[in-house]
Amino acid sequence: MRLFARTLLFFLGAITIQAVLTAGLIIGLVSRNNQNAARTELSEESTLIYENYNNWVRSIWKMSVRINQDEELMELSQNADDRSGEIRLVNRLTDSLAESGLDSFIVRKAGWADFIVLSDAYPYIRDFSTLVVDRTHPYVSLRKLEGQTFLSGTVTLQGGTTVFLLKNLDSDFFDQLKVRAHTRVLVSSDTEESAFGGFESSDPYWEVYDRELETGHYNLSFRSIGPLVLSDTENPVNLIVLISTEPYRSLLTRIGRIVFLVSLAVFALTAVTALLISRQITKPIEILVRAMRNIRDGDYDTSVEIDAAGEVKSLIGGFNEMADHLERNKATMDQYIQEITFLKEYNETVIHSLRAGILIVDRHLVVEKANGFFLESFPQDSGRPEGMNLDDLRAAVLDEEIIQKARDISGGRKETWSKIKREGSVVWDLKLYPLRFAPSDGEGRCVIELDDVSQRTELEQKIIQAEKLTSLGFLSAGIAHEINNPLSTILSNAQHLLSRPRDADDKVCLEWIEQETNRIAGIVKELLDFAHAAEGPSPESDVNACVTEVIRLVRYGLSSETDVDILLTVEPNLPSVKLPADELRQILLNLIQNAIHAVDGRGSIEVETAQIDKDFIIVRVADDGSGIAPELRPRIFDPFFTTKPDGVGTGLGLSIVYGFVKKAGGDISVTDNNGRGTVFSMELPVGGYEK
């Protein structure tokens, strides 16, 4: 019954909310329609009243023009100096008043003692002092006489007679202008509009909606109809139209009452209907609840047998299918758990079997996992390192630099980082990269891999030395040629000494012998120095010095039959680069030798050094040879890959160059040399710079 009660309350609440929303929607729609209709009605009524008002203005003006053009009136005005002439003029104007539909004519002539009123429509008006003339031609204006507003047509006839045509703007006048019975019309100056809220606007026409006044709610329109002429001032006058909105408000009230009554009836009908069918629903649901509790307690072999129909029968059938499905899923899940447990143990075995140290740290640099190789290489006093901070581990190779990089990677500020680091006699290849279990996992982790590459590094050094000896073999023929030249000179001068008596020239010949012998010694020394791997190489080197030295040696090895120009352009005062001199010379020798092979004995090679920014120096080696095919460029740095014939190259030269440059934190690229030849560009970090 608790479920039924909650369901019943839910539906009753839904009906209540629906009733409120429906009432709000209907009232809102009707209200908007009523507002639009009321505003349209106000605009149309205001326009019509204004047009009718203007018709009266035009009528008074036309009447004023006719009086001004009436020759008989002009003659009577000129002869109205005596009493009889005055009477004839007044009688003639009285006849005109009867035909005009106006309320009154007021006549005055210069020299008359007072105004003459040709009507008894306003017996209460005694003061006509505000009736003044400020123009010579006929005109219509608004005037105030003892609190009443009048439309006044003013005509000044020849002879000095002034006629004022008056129409009182009272309720009777406005009743003639309006169409709708619930419309009120009046005129008011700005100083008298406080009763309507003191509306102000610079527009000639404006509207105000749903304004609450003493007699109800109104929509108002204000239209400027000209100035009100007082004795010494003019005040703007507005034609005000008021249309009551009470009929619309009453309609909304009736609609709200109807919606409320309908909702109340639906509410009661729903409650009664729910009570009638509750027993057909709640009992099966109670049985289903007990069956679900059995499943919750682990008894999946549960089914419900109830004689029901309709949706309840479908619900029971669905429950029985669900229970059967859960039972099968439980068996499958147990199997999955066994497989996951096996995979976990398998992965643990794989990690601990790796012959490289593995550390996993969280964003706070706390160790979460360490494999067996790490513990063998860096045994800890406390046993297992899990739970220890990276700073507290006994591993000298994990210095401040690596700890900072691990902090950056686990914090998401860096993706990967690697470095070759020597610790005593062991060379470690350190790699750091992020570990995230899922895209939504915001907890960053860092994997630190420590690989002992001591044997591989030693092998690489041997390969480099072998490559260097291979390069020396290439230079041997040229150097032998250079050695033969000074030896020939020595032989020639020796023969010269034997063929002639000894005299002053002997001294010159001996000087030649000494000079050429020294040259031989210098060449041989430079060759031996280059071939000998220096012990304890400096971590930094002078780019310009290494380039100059290598080019000088290469020129020794060029045959006299070749036509190869090696052009050198260096930027002076370059800082040192973060690369040992021995490795830099090996890099330059490989690149220049490749360029010599590319030009095939005839061409030019350009070597250039420059500083591209405060952190990097660029070295370019360009040739105008045959170039490298685009499909081969991705493979030129692969070990043992070569385009030279068999027996002319090991395929290790560019691979060694690439390894040296990357190890130093630099970069190397190969591009086309404007359609002819190849350009190798190396970006090397300056000394002390850490990329």
Side-chain angles (χ1 to χ4, degrees), residues 116-153:
I116 296 176
V117 182
L118 304 186
S119 172
D120 58 355
Y122 314 114
Y124 52 84
I125 297 178
R126 296 287 184 266
D127 183 10
F128 298 97
S129 60
T130 58
L131 298 178
V132 295
V133 181
D134 55 2
R135 305 175 212 173
T136 58
H137 56 79
Y139 66 94
V140 179
S141 62
L142 290 169
R143 297 181 182 273
K144 203 83 167 181
L145 297 177
E146 295 190 5
Q148 296 291 320
T149 303
F150 290 84
L151 266 176
S152 172

mmCIF file of all heavy atoms in Angstrom, residues 116-153:
data_model
loop_
_atom_site.group_PDB
_atom_site.id
_atom_site.type_symbol
_atom_site.label_atom_id
_atom_site.label_comp_id
_atom_site.label_asym_id
_atom_site.label_seq_id
_atom_site.Cartn_x
_atom_site.Cartn_y
_atom_site.Cartn_z
ATOM 1 N N ILE A 116 -19.316 90.887 -26.812
ATOM 2 C CA ILE A 116 -20.726 90.559 -27.035
ATOM 3 C C ILE A 116 -20.800 89.057 -27.268
ATOM 4 O O ILE A 116 -20.160 88.514 -28.181
ATOM 5 C CB ILE A 116 -21.308 91.319 -28.244
ATOM 6 C CG1 ILE A 116 -21.281 92.816 -27.964
ATOM 7 C CG2 ILE A 116 -22.732 90.846 -28.546
ATOM 8 C CD1 ILE A 116 -21.754 93.656 -29.135
ATOM 9 N N VAL A 117 -21.562 88.331 -26.428
ATOM 10 C CA VAL A 117 -21.713 86.889 -26.516
ATOM 11 C C VAL A 117 -22.988 86.588 -27.281
ATOM 12 O O VAL A 117 -24.077 87.033 -26.881
ATOM 13 C CB VAL A 117 -21.763 86.246 -25.122
ATOM 14 C CG1 VAL A 117 -21.873 84.728 -25.241
ATOM 15 C CG2 VAL A 117 -20.538 86.624 -24.319
ATOM 16 N N LEU A 118 -22.858 85.864 -28.401
ATOM 17 C CA LEU A 118 -24.003 85.594 -29.257
ATOM 18 C C LEU A 118 -24.652 84.260 -28.907
ATOM 19 O O LEU A 118 -25.191 83.573 -29.772
ATOM 20 C CB LEU A 118 -23.560 85.589 -30.726
ATOM 21 C CG LEU A 118 -22.860 86.858 -31.204
ATOM 22 C CD1 LEU A 118 -22.604 86.785 -32.695
ATOM 23 C CD2 LEU A 118 -23.675 88.073 -30.868
ATOM 24 N N SER A 119 -24.584 83.825 -27.665
ATOM 25 C CA SER A 119 -25.227 82.589 -27.235
ATOM 26 C C SER A 119 -25.297 82.604 -25.725
ATOM 27 O O SER A 119 -24.483 83.247 -25.051
ATOM 28 C CB SER A 119 -24.431 81.369 -27.721
ATOM 29 O OG SER A 119 -24.954 80.196 -27.140
ATOM 30 N N ASP A 120 -26.301 81.881 -25.219
ATOM 31 C CA ASP A 120 -26.405 81.741 -23.764
ATOM 32 C C ASP A 120 -25.991 80.338 -23.326
ATOM 33 O O ASP A 120 -26.430 79.836 -22.306
ATOM 34 C CB ASP A 120 -27.835 82.029 -23.307
ATOM 35 C CG ASP A 120 -28.841 81.113 -23.982
ATOM 36 O OD1 ASP A 120 -28.409 80.320 -24.879
ATOM 37 O OD2 ASP A 120 -30.024 81.153 -23.627
ATOM 38 N N ALA A 121 -25.106 79.694 -24.159
ATOM 39 C CA ALA A 121 -24.674 78.333 -23.814
ATOM 40 C C ALA A 121 -23.805 78.308 -22.567
ATOM 41 O O ALA A 121 -23.749 77.301 -21.862
ATOM 42 C CB ALA A 121 -23.906 77.722 -24.987
ATOM 43 N N TYR A 122 -23.109 79.408 -22.287
ATOM 44 C CA TYR A 122 -22.203 79.446 -21.120
ATOM 45 C C TYR A 122 -22.515 80.674 -20.278
ATOM 46 O O TYR A 122 -21.758 81.651 -20.247
ATOM 47 C CB TYR A 122 -20.741 79.490 -21.578
ATOM 48 C CG TYR A 122 -20.425 78.492 -22.667
ATOM 49 C CD1 TYR A 122 -20.085 78.928 -23.939
ATOM 50 C CD2 TYR A 122 -20.505 77.133 -22.425
ATOM 51 C CE1 TYR A 122 -19.815 78.018 -24.941
ATOM 52 C CE2 TYR A 122 -20.241 76.224 -23.427
ATOM 53 C CZ TYR A 122 -19.896 76.667 -24.688
ATOM 54 O OH TYR A 122 -19.638 75.784 -25.683
ATOM 55 N N PRO A 123 -23.641 80.630 -19.587
ATOM 56 C CA PRO A 123 -23.995 81.830 -18.806
ATOM 57 C C PRO A 123 -23.058 82.063 -17.622
ATOM 58 O O PRO A 123 -23.004 83.165 -17.083
ATOM 59 C CB PRO A 123 -25.423 81.523 -18.335
ATOM 60 C CG PRO A 123 -25.490 80.017 -18.316
ATOM 61 C CD PRO A 123 -24.657 79.567 -19.476
ATOM 62 N N TYR A 124 -22.332 81.049 -17.273
ATOM 63 C CA TYR A 124 -21.466 81.186 -16.096
ATOM 64 C C TYR A 124 -20.131 81.820 -16.427
ATOM 65 O O TYR A 124 -19.334 82.092 -15.541
ATOM 66 C CB TYR A 124 -21.221 79.806 -15.470
ATOM 67 C CG TYR A 124 -20.730 78.770 -16.454
ATOM 68 C CD1 TYR A 124 -19.385 78.663 -16.770
ATOM 69 C CD2 TYR A 124 -21.625 77.919 -17.082
ATOM 70 C CE1 TYR A 124 -18.952 77.724 -17.682
ATOM 71 C CE2 TYR A 124 -21.197 76.985 -17.995
ATOM 72 C CZ TYR A 124 -19.845 76.875 -18.293
ATOM 73 O OH TYR A 124 -19.423 75.944 -19.195
ATOM 74 N N ILE A 125 -19.853 82.023 -17.715
ATOM 75 C CA ILE A 125 -18.572 82.616 -18.105
ATOM 76 C C ILE A 125 -18.744 84.125 -18.190
ATOM 77 O O ILE A 125 -19.605 84.630 -18.924
ATOM 78 C CB ILE A 125 -18.092 82.041 -19.453
ATOM 79 C CG1 ILE A 125 -17.850 80.521 -19.324
ATOM 80 C CG2 ILE A 125 -16.814 82.747 -19.916
ATOM 81 C CD1 ILE A 125 -17.411 79.871 -20.615
ATOM 82 N N ARG A 126 -17.948 84.810 -17.402
ATOM 83 C CA ARG A 126 -17.990 86.271 -17.380
ATOM 84 C C ARG A 126 -16.665 86.892 -17.807
ATOM 85 O O ARG A 126 -16.630 88.040 -18.268
ATOM 86 C CB ARG A 126 -18.331 86.766 -15.962
ATOM 87 C CG ARG A 126 -19.719 86.359 -15.498
ATOM 88 C CD ARG A 126 -20.787 87.176 -16.233
ATOM 89 N NE ARG A 126 -22.113 86.860 -15.745
ATOM 90 C CZ ARG A 126 -22.894 85.955 -16.294
ATOM 91 N NH1 ARG A 126 -22.470 85.249 -17.340
ATOM 92 N NH2 ARG A 126 -24.101 85.725 -15.812
ATOM 93 N N ASP A 127 -15.582 86.138 -17.697
ATOM 94 C CA ASP A 127 -14.250 86.692 -17.980
ATOM 95 C C ASP A 127 -13.768 86.178 -19.332
ATOM 96 O O ASP A 127 -13.549 84.987 -19.522
ATOM 97 C CB ASP A 127 -13.268 86.267 -16.884
ATOM 98 C CG ASP A 127 -11.885 86.884 -17.090
ATOM 99 O OD1 ASP A 127 -11.752 87.781 -17.960
ATOM 100 O OD2 ASP A 127 -10.941 86.450 -16.384
ATOM 101 N N PHE A 128 -13.670 87.111 -20.304
ATOM 102 C CA PHE A 128 -13.189 86.769 -21.638
ATOM 103 C C PHE A 128 -11.835 87.416 -21.925
ATOM 104 O O PHE A 128 -11.459 87.617 -23.072
ATOM 105 C CB PHE A 128 -14.204 87.211 -22.704
ATOM 106 C CG PHE A 128 -15.535 86.539 -22.574
ATOM 107 C CD1 PHE A 128 -16.589 87.163 -21.916
ATOM 108 C CD2 PHE A 128 -15.738 85.270 -23.083
ATOM 109 C CE1 PHE A 128 -17.814 86.535 -21.799
ATOM 110 C CE2 PHE A 128 -16.978 84.651 -22.962
ATOM 111 C CZ PHE A 128 -18.014 85.270 -22.307
ATOM 112 N N SER A 129 -11.133 87.739 -20.859
ATOM 113 C CA SER A 129 -9.869 88.466 -21.052
ATOM 114 C C SER A 129 -8.804 87.613 -21.748
ATOM 115 O O SER A 129 -7.845 88.154 -22.307
ATOM 116 C CB SER A 129 -9.343 88.946 -19.698
ATOM 117 O OG SER A 129 -9.109 87.825 -18.839
ATOM 118 N N THR A 130 -8.947 86.280 -21.699
ATOM 119 C CA THR A 130 -7.935 85.428 -22.350
ATOM 120 C C THR A 130 -8.099 85.395 -23.859
ATOM 121 O O THR A 130 -7.269 84.823 -24.562
ATOM 122 C CB THR A 130 -8.024 83.995 -21.797
ATOM 123 O OG1 THR A 130 -9.337 83.486 -22.023
ATOM 124 C CG2 THR A 130 -7.717 83.967 -20.316
ATOM 125 N N LEU A 131 -9.233 85.966 -24.358
ATOM 126 C CA LEU A 131 -9.449 85.994 -25.807
ATOM 127 C C LEU A 131 -8.685 87.174 -26.381
ATOM 128 O O LEU A 131 -9.146 88.324 -26.354
ATOM 129 C CB LEU A 131 -10.951 86.109 -26.134
ATOM 130 C CG LEU A 131 -11.818 84.939 -25.657
ATOM 131 C CD1 LEU A 131 -13.282 85.190 -25.985
ATOM 132 C CD2 LEU A 131 -11.354 83.647 -26.299
ATOM 133 N N VAL A 132 -7.517 86.889 -26.896
ATOM 134 C CA VAL A 132 -6.662 87.907 -27.495
ATOM 135 C C VAL A 132 -6.329 87.464 -28.916
ATOM 136 O O VAL A 132 -6.437 86.288 -29.263
ATOM 137 C CB VAL A 132 -5.373 88.105 -26.686
ATOM 138 C CG1 VAL A 132 -5.688 88.661 -25.319
ATOM 139 C CG2 VAL A 132 -4.602 86.796 -26.575
ATOM 140 N N VAL A 133 -5.917 88.399 -29.718
ATOM 141 C CA VAL A 133 -5.585 88.130 -31.123
ATOM 142 C C VAL A 133 -4.089 88.323 -31.307
ATOM 143 O O VAL A 133 -3.548 89.364 -30.929
ATOM 144 C CB VAL A 133 -6.361 89.074 -32.067
ATOM 145 C CG1 VAL A 133 -6.014 88.768 -33.528
ATOM 146 C CG2 VAL A 133 -7.860 88.945 -31.839
ATOM 147 N N ASP A 134 -3.423 87.283 -31.850
ATOM 148 C CA ASP A 134 -1.987 87.397 -32.085
ATOM 149 C C ASP A 134 -1.622 87.186 -33.542
ATOM 150 O O ASP A 134 -0.450 87.133 -33.880
ATOM 151 C CB ASP A 134 -1.212 86.412 -31.200
ATOM 152 C CG ASP A 134 -1.698 84.991 -31.401
ATOM 153 O OD1 ASP A 134 -2.592 84.773 -32.248
ATOM 154 O OD2 ASP A 134 -1.185 84.094 -30.704
ATOM 155 N N ARG A 135 -2.632 87.022 -34.441
ATOM 156 C CA ARG A 135 -2.360 86.886 -35.870
ATOM 157 C C ARG A 135 -3.424 87.649 -36.658
ATOM 158 O O ARG A 135 -4.552 87.850 -36.189
ATOM 159 C CB ARG A 135 -2.382 85.416 -36.309
ATOM 160 C CG ARG A 135 -1.445 84.529 -35.508
ATOM 161 C CD ARG A 135 -1.603 83.090 -35.913
ATOM 162 N NE ARG A 135 -1.360 82.218 -34.769
ATOM 163 C CZ ARG A 135 -1.549 80.907 -34.764
ATOM 164 N NH1 ARG A 135 -2.012 80.324 -35.851
ATOM 165 N NH2 ARG A 135 -1.297 80.188 -33.691
ATOM 166 N N THR A 136 -3.104 88.046 -37.869
ATOM 167 C CA THR A 136 -4.017 88.830 -38.712
ATOM 168 C C THR A 136 -4.922 87.942 -39.551
ATOM 169 O O THR A 136 -6.005 88.365 -39.936
ATOM 170 C CB THR A 136 -3.209 89.749 -39.638
ATOM 171 O OG1 THR A 136 -2.336 88.941 -40.442
ATOM 172 C CG2 THR A 136 -2.377 90.727 -38.825
ATOM 173 N N HIS A 137 -4.505 86.731 -39.826
ATOM 174 C CA HIS A 137 -5.313 85.841 -40.656
ATOM 175 C C HIS A 137 -6.129 84.921 -39.755
ATOM 176 O O HIS A 137 -5.840 84.759 -38.566
ATOM 177 C CB HIS A 137 -4.405 85.003 -41.560
ATOM 178 C CG HIS A 137 -3.383 84.209 -40.809
ATOM 179 N ND1 HIS A 137 -3.677 83.034 -40.185
ATOM 180 C CD2 HIS A 137 -2.071 84.468 -40.561
ATOM 181 C CE1 HIS A 137 -2.627 82.559 -39.588
ATOM 182 N NE2 HIS A 137 -1.609 83.420 -39.807
ATOM 183 N N PRO A 138 -7.147 84.282 -40.290
ATOM 184 C CA PRO A 138 -7.973 83.366 -39.491
ATOM 185 C C PRO A 138 -7.141 82.176 -39.001
ATOM 186 O O PRO A 138 -6.327 81.638 -39.746
ATOM 187 C CB PRO A 138 -9.065 82.920 -40.470
ATOM 188 C CG PRO A 138 -9.117 83.974 -41.508
ATOM 189 C CD PRO A 138 -7.733 84.495 -41.653
ATOM 190 N N TYR A 139 -7.378 81.746 -37.782
ATOM 191 C CA TYR A 139 -6.679 80.594 -37.235
ATOM 192 C C TYR A 139 -7.504 79.962 -36.138
ATOM 193 O O TYR A 139 -8.459 80.573 -35.628
ATOM 194 C CB TYR A 139 -5.296 80.988 -36.714
ATOM 195 C CG TYR A 139 -5.306 81.934 -35.518
ATOM 196 C CD1 TYR A 139 -5.234 81.439 -34.215
ATOM 197 C CD2 TYR A 139 -5.396 83.299 -35.707
ATOM 198 C CE1 TYR A 139 -5.248 82.293 -33.138
ATOM 199 C CE2 TYR A 139 -5.404 84.160 -34.628
ATOM 200 C CZ TYR A 139 -5.323 83.665 -33.335
ATOM 201 O OH TYR A 139 -5.337 84.506 -32.272
ATOM 202 N N VAL A 140 -7.135 78.710 -35.778
ATOM 203 C CA VAL A 140 -7.830 77.948 -34.740
ATOM 204 C C VAL A 140 -6.840 77.654 -33.623
ATOM 205 O O VAL A 140 -5.695 77.260 -33.887
ATOM 206 C CB VAL A 140 -8.402 76.633 -35.301
ATOM 207 C CG1 VAL A 140 -9.114 75.842 -34.199
ATOM 208 C CG2 VAL A 140 -9.365 76.902 -36.451
ATOM 209 N N SER A 141 -7.262 77.796 -32.379
ATOM 210 C CA SER A 141 -6.389 77.553 -31.231
ATOM 211 C C SER A 141 -7.207 77.009 -30.078
ATOM 212 O O SER A 141 -8.439 76.981 -30.127
ATOM 213 C CB SER A 141 -5.676 78.844 -30.816
ATOM 214 O OG SER A 141 -6.626 79.823 -30.426
ATOM 215 N N LEU A 142 -6.494 76.531 -29.050
ATOM 216 C CA LEU A 142 -7.111 76.064 -27.809
ATOM 217 C C LEU A 142 -7.014 77.171 -26.775
ATOM 218 O O LEU A 142 -5.935 77.727 -26.554
ATOM 219 C CB LEU A 142 -6.402 74.802 -27.309
ATOM 220 C CG LEU A 142 -6.617 73.529 -28.128
ATOM 221 C CD1 LEU A 142 -5.649 72.454 -27.669
ATOM 222 C CD2 LEU A 142 -8.042 73.034 -27.997
ATOM 223 N N ARG A 143 -8.154 77.432 -26.129
ATOM 224 C CA ARG A 143 -8.170 78.513 -25.142
ATOM 225 C C ARG A 143 -8.870 78.030 -23.881
ATOM 226 O O ARG A 143 -9.678 77.100 -23.906
ATOM 227 C CB ARG A 143 -8.874 79.753 -25.694
ATOM 228 C CG ARG A 143 -8.158 80.354 -26.910
ATOM 229 C CD ARG A 143 -8.851 81.591 -27.411
ATOM 230 N NE ARG A 143 -8.200 82.132 -28.595
ATOM 231 C CZ ARG A 143 -7.187 82.988 -28.577
ATOM 232 N NH1 ARG A 143 -6.706 83.414 -27.428
ATOM 233 N NH2 ARG A 143 -6.666 83.445 -29.716
ATOM 234 N N LYS A 144 -8.558 78.707 -22.793
ATOM 235 C CA LYS A 144 -9.103 78.381 -21.475
ATOM 236 C C LYS A 144 -9.964 79.553 -21.008
ATOM 237 O O LYS A 144 -9.496 80.696 -20.942
ATOM 238 C CB LYS A 144 -7.958 78.133 -20.490
ATOM 239 C CG LYS A 144 -8.348 77.292 -19.298
ATOM 240 C CD LYS A 144 -8.280 75.817 -19.674
ATOM 241 C CE LYS A 144 -8.354 74.934 -18.435
ATOM 242 N NZ LYS A 144 -8.277 73.523 -18.766
ATOM 243 N N LEU A 145 -11.259 79.270 -20.722
ATOM 244 C CA LEU A 145 -12.165 80.286 -20.193
ATOM 245 C C LEU A 145 -12.750 79.766 -18.898
ATOM 246 O O LEU A 145 -13.576 78.839 -18.891
ATOM 247 C CB LEU A 145 -13.276 80.596 -21.200
ATOM 248 C CG LEU A 145 -12.841 81.197 -22.548
ATOM 249 C CD1 LEU A 145 -14.041 81.378 -23.456
ATOM 250 C CD2 LEU A 145 -12.135 82.518 -22.328
ATOM 251 N N GLU A 146 -12.314 80.368 -17.786
ATOM 252 C CA GLU A 146 -12.798 80.023 -16.444
ATOM 253 C C GLU A 146 -12.845 78.496 -16.222
ATOM 254 O O GLU A 146 -13.852 77.915 -15.855
ATOM 255 C CB GLU A 146 -14.170 80.634 -16.206
ATOM 256 C CG GLU A 146 -14.146 82.150 -16.194
ATOM 257 C CD GLU A 146 -15.458 82.749 -15.723
ATOM 258 O OE1 GLU A 146 -16.339 81.970 -15.313
ATOM 259 O OE2 GLU A 146 -15.578 83.976 -15.743
ATOM 260 N N GLY A 147 -11.685 77.815 -16.516
ATOM 261 C CA GLY A 147 -11.536 76.395 -16.229
ATOM 262 C C GLY A 147 -12.026 75.479 -17.322
ATOM 263 O O GLY A 147 -11.812 74.267 -17.253
ATOM 264 N N GLN A 148 -12.684 75.994 -18.362
ATOM 265 C CA GLN A 148 -13.178 75.186 -19.465
ATOM 266 C C GLN A 148 -12.251 75.359 -20.666
ATOM 267 O O GLN A 148 -11.776 76.462 -20.944
ATOM 268 C CB GLN A 148 -14.608 75.601 -19.852
ATOM 269 C CG GLN A 148 -15.630 75.373 -18.755
ATOM 270 C CD GLN A 148 -15.879 73.899 -18.512
ATOM 271 O OE1 GLN A 148 -15.940 73.113 -19.446
ATOM 272 N NE2 GLN A 148 -16.035 73.536 -17.240
ATOM 273 N N THR A 149 -12.029 74.240 -21.396
ATOM 274 C CA THR A 149 -11.171 74.273 -22.575
ATOM 275 C C THR A 149 -12.047 74.375 -23.817
ATOM 276 O O THR A 149 -13.033 73.632 -23.953
ATOM 277 C CB THR A 149 -10.310 73.013 -22.653
ATOM 278 O OG1 THR A 149 -9.547 72.898 -21.448
ATOM 279 C CG2 THR A 149 -9.350 73.083 -23.832
ATOM 280 N N PHE A 150 -11.693 75.300 -24.718
ATOM 281 C CA PHE A 150 -12.478 75.566 -25.922
ATOM 282 C C PHE A 150 -11.573 75.480 -27.139
ATOM 283 O O PHE A 150 -10.398 75.852 -27.103
ATOM 284 C CB PHE A 150 -13.101 76.977 -25.864
ATOM 285 C CG PHE A 150 -14.188 77.120 -24.844
ATOM 286 C CD1 PHE A 150 -13.886 77.390 -23.514
ATOM 287 C CD2 PHE A 150 -15.520 76.976 -25.208
ATOM 288 C CE1 PHE A 150 -14.884 77.531 -22.577
ATOM 289 C CE2 PHE A 150 -16.525 77.123 -24.255
ATOM 290 C CZ PHE A 150 -16.211 77.395 -22.938
ATOM 291 N N LEU A 151 -12.169 75.003 -28.235
ATOM 292 C CA LEU A 151 -11.591 75.208 -29.557
ATOM 293 C C LEU A 151 -12.057 76.562 -30.034
ATOM 294 O O LEU A 151 -13.268 76.841 -30.088
ATOM 295 C CB LEU A 151 -12.061 74.125 -30.530
ATOM 296 C CG LEU A 151 -11.179 72.904 -30.712
ATOM 297 C CD1 LEU A 151 -11.862 71.903 -31.636
ATOM 298 C CD2 LEU A 151 -9.827 73.292 -31.264
ATOM 299 N N SER A 152 -11.156 77.424 -30.402
ATOM 300 C CA SER A 152 -11.504 78.803 -30.744
ATOM 301 C C SER A 152 -10.983 79.124 -32.130
ATOM 302 O O SER A 152 -9.788 78.994 -32.410
ATOM 303 C CB SER A 152 -10.897 79.780 -29.729
ATOM 304 O OG SER A 152 -11.074 81.122 -30.158
ATOM 305 N N GLY A 153 -11.945 79.545 -33.030
ATOM 306 C CA GLY A 153 -11.550 80.090 -34.315
ATOM 307 C C GLY A 153 -11.540 81.610 -34.218
ATOM 308 O O GLY A 153 -12.534 82.213 -33.777
#
